[in-house]
Amino acid sequence: MEAPQRNLAMDLVRVTEAAALASARWLGKGAKNEGDGAAVDAMRLSFNSLDIDGRIVIGEGEKDKAPMLYNGERIGTGHGPAVDVAVDPVEGTNLLAYGRPNAIAVVGLAPAGAMFDPGPSYYMRKLVVPAPARGVVDMDAPVAHNLEATARALGKKVEDLMIFVLDKPRHKELIARIREAGARIQLHTDGDVAGALMAVDPASSVDMMLGTGGTPEGVLAACAIKALGGEILARFDPQSEEELARVRDFGLDTSAVLTTDTLIRDDNVFFAATGISGGTFLGGVTYLGTGATTHSLVLRGKTGTIRRITSTHQWDKLMRFSAIKY
């Protein structure tokens, strides 16, 4: 038996709440860079108060040309546990810009050295299933086989399954195969971290996520997948010859199948996500004039605890000391 230990996810949710509160001011205004910038600023300021010795492994990255929360940046006070950190201040910047559902602010954390560094890889093909279907799917099996195996593990028929797929031209054949097998599909324009979360969340109607999405997003989602006991199988899927060359020069094997345990090599993982625009997965930020309400998902891998937190923020008290102008 162990005495209760500090749950870092409870600190992380303050970070995701700050990002959500700041970025939601830009909801539907068609300005994704401004919304993302507000979230980055708020998230970075919030990290300053955390007693961790953190290193960003999955950050805004080269593709975003971000001045902060970039890959390799040190965050936290420098006191406390050494940790790898994955962030996405706004997962779904287009969703935020156009006022569409399921934009979220996300942070994952694992012990130092436990988080996979994907280097210059932008895209990977992913298969995500919930805990009951762990170990029954195969990255190289036909789509119909994986649907049938997942349905059996969940005690369902294939026709009952709901599959999350990004609505991209590259998925035309995948979508056709899923429909031929008889499963149902939710098509989303963006947000494959949210899609992976839906696939492993026991409270979600989504049973699986399939298709090619962001590599950094895959590692970030793996924090939550690990905490919830689900499974992600992935393989690098460069979308250009230039990306392929960079991935190979970095020393990554494009034929290898990456697993949950490859992406996050320790069970002591923490994860927090706060809804920005709202949707079927997490409620969004609601401004009340005198404050705001947020809705968050908080996970701790070691205990498997799932917390769903609704927070009310009061401007008259918060703004007395907050460095973030909500």
Side-chain angles (χ1 to χ4, degrees):
M1 300 294 291
E2 293 184 13
Q5 297 176 331
R6 177 183 173 194
N7 183 354
L8 291 172
M10 301 304 291
D11 295 323
L12 295 184
V13 74
R14 293 170 51 215
V15 175
T16 57
E17 285 175 348
L21 286 167
S23 61
R25 291 292 187 188
W26 294 93
L27 182 66
K29 294 184 177 181
K32 70 175 186 178
N33 291 335
E34 289 81 355
D36 189 50
V40 169
D41 291 344
M43 186 172 277
R44 186 64 180 82
L45 279 170
S46 297
F47 269 122
N48 289 341
S49 66
L50 295 194
D51 284 329
I52 58 172
D53 179 11
R55 180 179 70 95
I56 299 285
V57 175
I58 304 297
E60 288 292 89
E62 175 188 348
K63 190 168 62 171
D64 301 292
K65 299 180 180 179
M68 60 182 73
L69 295 181
Y70 54 83
N71 296 348
E73 183 179 1
R74 309 300 302 199
I75 59 172
T77 63
H79 305 291
V83 293
D84 290 343
V85 183
V87 303
D88 200 340
V90 178
E91 205 260 333
T93 52
N94 285 324
L95 302 178
L96 171 66
Y98 298 111
R100 294 170 182 160
N102 297 323
I104 57 177
V106 193
V107 176
L109 186 151
M115 191 176 291
F116 181 79
D117 183 355
S121 173
Y122 290 164
Y123 293 96
M124 59 166 45
R125 187 161 63 92
K126 308 170 193 176
L127 190 168
V128 180
V129 293
R134 182 181 178 96
V136 305
V137 290
D138 184 337
M139 192 70 181
D140 295 314
V143 170
H145 169 87
N146 285 325
L147 292 174
E148 291 165 4
T150 300
R152 283 196 301 271
L154 298 179
K156 296 183 176 184
K157 299 177 182 178
V158 171
E159 291 78 7
D160 299 333
L161 296 180
M162 180 67 76
I163 315 301
F164 180 105
V165 181
L166 290 177
D167 190 7
K168 306 291 183 183
R170 61 179 177 262
H171 291 149
K172 181 178 179 180
E173 182 179 346
L174 171 63
I175 291 168
R177 294 289 177 86
I178 295 171
R179 286 173 174 164
E180 286 172 8
R184 301 174 299 154
I185 301 175
Q186 277 190 14
L187 289 174
H188 293 254
T189 58
D190 300 275
D192 62 334
V193 172
L197 292 175
M198 292 179 202
V200 295
D201 183 355
S204 169
S205 62
V206 172
D207 300 296
M208 176 189 288
M209 187 184 82
L210 288 172
T212 293
T215 303
E217 289 84 352
V219 179
L220 177 49
C223 295
I225 295 166
K226 182 92 167 183
L228 291 172
E231 182 164 49
I232 178 171
L233 300 177
R235 178 179 283 130
F236 297 117
D237 190 12
Q239 298 297 292
S240 68
E241 290 298 322
E242 181 184 0
E243 183 185 355
L244 176 60
R246 288 198 309 267
V247 168
R248 287 177 173 171
D249 289 345
F250 193 73
L252 299 174
D253 182 358
T254 56
S255 66
V257 175
L258 307 174
T259 68
T260 316
D261 294 333
T262 305
L263 299 175
I264 304 295
R265 296 183 293 273
D266 197 296
D267 289 332
N268 195 27
V269 64
F270 304 90
F271 180 89
T274 300
I276 300 172
S277 61
T280 56
F281 174 58
L282 279 172
V285 176
T286 301
Y287 293 107
L288 307 171
T290 57
T293 301
T294 56
H295 305 272
S296 303
L297 176 70
V298 182
L299 309 173
R300 185 183 186 189
K302 187 174 181 178
T303 61
T305 303
I306 304 171
R307 289 182 171 89
R308 302 178 195 276
I309 298 176
T310 299
S311 302
T312 300
H313 310 268
Q314 300 182 47
W315 298 150
D316 61 339
K317 293 187 176 182
L318 186 58
M319 291 307 185
R320 293 174 192 171
F321 58 87
S322 175
I324 304 167
K325 303 302 180 185
Y326 297 115

